[in-house]
Amino acid sequence: MCQVDEEYNGQLEHRVTPRVSKKCVKCKENTAVLIIRAGDAFCRGCFKEYFIHKFRAMLGKNRVIFPGEKVLLAVSGGPASSSMLSQVQEGLSRDAPKKLRFVPGIIYIDEGGASGQSMEERERAVAQLESVFRATNYHYHIVHLEQVLSLPSSVLDAGSSATEKPQTGSSYKAAVDQFIQTKKNQHPDLSVENAQSHLSSLSMHEVENGVTSPITPEHTQALQKLFASVRTLTAKEDLLHTLRQHLILHTARTQGYTKVMMGDSCSRLAIKLLSNISLGRGASLATDTGFSDPRYGDVVIVRPMRDYSSKEIAYYNRMFDIPSVFIPGLDTKAQDKASIQHLTESFVTKLQTDFPSTVSTIYRHPPPSCSTLPAGSS
């Protein structure tokens, strides 16, 4: 064994470690600063262009958001939702070559009452996020999870869509033309280019921002009692997801939003897909992980970040200083962390480390749902 180097000197195959010392695969000129996947090395400028184009292409390809619509951005403070907010800002800026034409709003659900945070910790997190929201000049809503106790259970029922539009290419172009013409009629002194960018000039001076009514200790105790009555962490995380959906849908309907943007990345959707199969929800995989979720009728949930991996998002946020806020989750202080969702995340993350195509394989080739299996199969 000690003579292996002497006998096979020069014949052993040495594994080449990938380095970021080659040229960018896109511009072929600048030195690459990061490698997303094997063979995909980008310089700083090309990576930013690639990241922005992927977001805009996702919205342009599906065409479910029409000009002038109010879109609610669900921001949790994490990397994915913070990056989504940054992309919307980029698309609505005056320097964007093809500006987005919807009216954005932001919602943050304060879940500190369920995760055992003190009021001081919750106020500190809200203050950090408010500073980020104010910098965008978008209307924002800070909603505490305790408020869900006063909502009816019918919030999750599918509502009638009075503003439903046919999802065809011709209707989308007609909506764009109508939007520009409406802006020109309202502001005759504006040119077509300025009319298209008018949405980006909406500021907090035109709307009234504010945090919802303060919560009381009784509300927090009632919420904690509700979660304490649930035995397993799996059920608690499932309950938290349902309550969060209640508040987002209620806010969207009461404030006039017709679309809700979620910051689910493909890494998160792959974990969600396997978790839902384990929980017996295979029949709803298409709507749970697809780009749009029309189950609620008058409010459609869209996922424009579904083609981004968590690695791409982490690189982009780090390189371009996208602010994010760490907020403890439900399992942070839990003694038993063995939930289906947490174990699935750990399994997929570790498998992705050794096999980089794990997430893309799960995400793009999901197993058949229970409803698609032939009768009598097991």
Side-chain angles (χ1 to χ4, degrees):
M1 296 296 294
C2 299
Q3 299 177 354
V4 64
D5 289 335
E6 299 176 1
E7 297 178 359
Y8 299 96
N9 187 23
Q11 301 180 18
L12 295 178
E13 180 181 355
H14 296 280
R15 183 177 180 180
V16 179
T17 303
R19 298 180 180 179
V20 192
S21 58
K22 53 184 179 180
K23 297 296 183 181
C24 173
V25 295
K26 186 173 182 180
C27 66
K28 311 293 185 182
E29 296 178 358
N30 299 324
T31 303
V33 297
L34 60 93
I35 298 178
I36 302 177
R37 293 173 296 271
D40 289 345
F42 289 93
C43 65
R44 179 185 175 91
C46 290
F47 176 64
K48 183 176 183 179
E49 183 179 346
Y50 154 83
F51 199 92
I52 294 175
H53 173 74
K54 182 184 282 192
F55 184 85
R56 303 293 297 277
M58 176 63 70
L59 294 179
K61 178 178 63 175
N62 291 277
R63 289 188 174 182
V64 298
I65 300 178
F66 284 74
E69 275 193 302
K70 295 183 66 177
V71 180
L72 188 62
L73 313 178
V75 179
S76 64
S81 60
S82 299
S83 181
M84 178 184 68
L85 177 60
S86 172
Q87 293 307 300
V88 173
Q89 287 183 268
E90 186 78 25
L92 288 173
S93 64
R94 296 183 181 275
D95 298 331
K98 294 183 180 180
K99 299 178 179 62
L100 301 176
R101 300 186 181 97
F102 57 81
V103 182
I106 306 172
I107 182 172
Y108 166 69
I109 307 296
D110 175 22
E111 304 171 358
S115 58
Q117 290 181 271
S118 64
M119 188 56 65
E120 290 75 15
E121 292 174 330
R122 298 174 65 178
E123 291 176 353
R124 191 181 310 116
V126 169
Q128 288 179 302
L129 286 168
E130 273 197 287
S131 64
V132 176
F133 297 161
R134 287 198 184 100
T136 64
N137 282 343
Y138 301 154
H139 187 30
Y140 63 89
H141 312 269
I142 307 293
V143 184
H144 302 290
L145 191 63
E146 286 84 344
Q147 295 178 242
V148 77
L149 301 177
S150 60
L151 298 182
S153 59
S154 59
V155 173
L156 289 181
D157 294 341
S160 59
S161 179
T163 59
E164 186 176 357
K165 305 177 182 65
Q167 305 299 322
T168 61
S170 59
S171 63
Y172 182 85
K173 293 179 181 178
V176 172
D177 296 337
Q178 181 181 1
F179 168 76
I180 296 176
Q181 186 62 37
T182 301
K183 289 301 178 183
K184 290 179 67 177
N185 293 337
Q186 293 177 353
H187 306 275
D189 56 328
L190 293 179
S191 63
V192 174
E193 291 76 10
N194 290 333
Q196 292 178 345
S197 63
H198 179 69
L199 288 178
S200 63
S201 64
L202 291 176
S203 64
M204 290 187 297
H205 299 292
E206 298 177 86
V207 291
E208 182 179 357
N209 280 306
V211 183
T212 55
S213 57
I215 56 176
T216 63
E218 290 76 14
H219 294 155
T220 304
Q221 291 175 4
L223 181 67
Q224 292 175 348
K225 184 178 179 180
L226 173 63
F227 276 87
S229 64
V230 181
R231 295 184 178 181
T232 65
L233 183 59
T234 299
K236 289 181 179 179
E237 293 187 358
D238 195 37
L239 173 62
L240 178 60
H241 173 74
T242 303
L243 299 181
R244 187 190 303 121
Q245 289 290 94
H246 267 70
L247 286 174
I248 292 176
L249 289 174
H250 176 73
T251 304
R253 284 169 175 158
T254 56
Q255 301 297 325
Y257 294 95
T258 55
K259 300 292 190 302
V260 175
M261 273 192 184
M262 308 294 286
D264 296 325
S265 64
C266 66
S267 303
R268 177 56 52 189
L269 290 178
I271 296 169
K272 185 178 182 180
L273 187 148
L274 294 182
S275 299
N276 285 358
I277 292 177
S278 303
L279 293 171
R281 296 176 184 156
S284 60
L285 289 181
T287 51
D288 286 337
T289 60
F291 174 78
S292 62
D293 183 356
R295 285 178 292 184
Y296 305 110
D298 55 339
V299 177
V300 178
I301 296 176
V302 296
R303 304 180 179 94
M305 303 294 291
R306 67 189 301 267
D307 275 355
Y308 293 95
S309 67
S310 57
K311 181 179 180 180
E312 290 175 324
I313 294 173
Y315 274 136
Y316 185 85
N317 291 357
R318 178 66 179 263
M319 293 180 65
F320 300 101
D321 299 325
I322 305 301
S324 60
V325 179
F326 171 75
I327 299 175
L330 188 62
D331 60 344
T332 302
K333 297 183 179 180
Q335 297 180 353
D336 183 15
K337 298 182 181 296
S339 68
I340 291 178
Q341 297 89 339
H342 182 76
L343 292 177
T344 303
E345 179 179 3
S346 177
F347 169 73
V348 173
T349 303
K350 291 179 180 179
L351 200 60
Q352 175 72 13
T353 303
D354 297 328
F355 304 95
S357 61
T358 297
V359 168
S360 60
T361 302
I362 298 173
Y363 165 68
R364 300 188 184 279
H365 304 284
S369 63
C370 298
S371 62
T372 60
L373 293 176
S377 61
S378 58

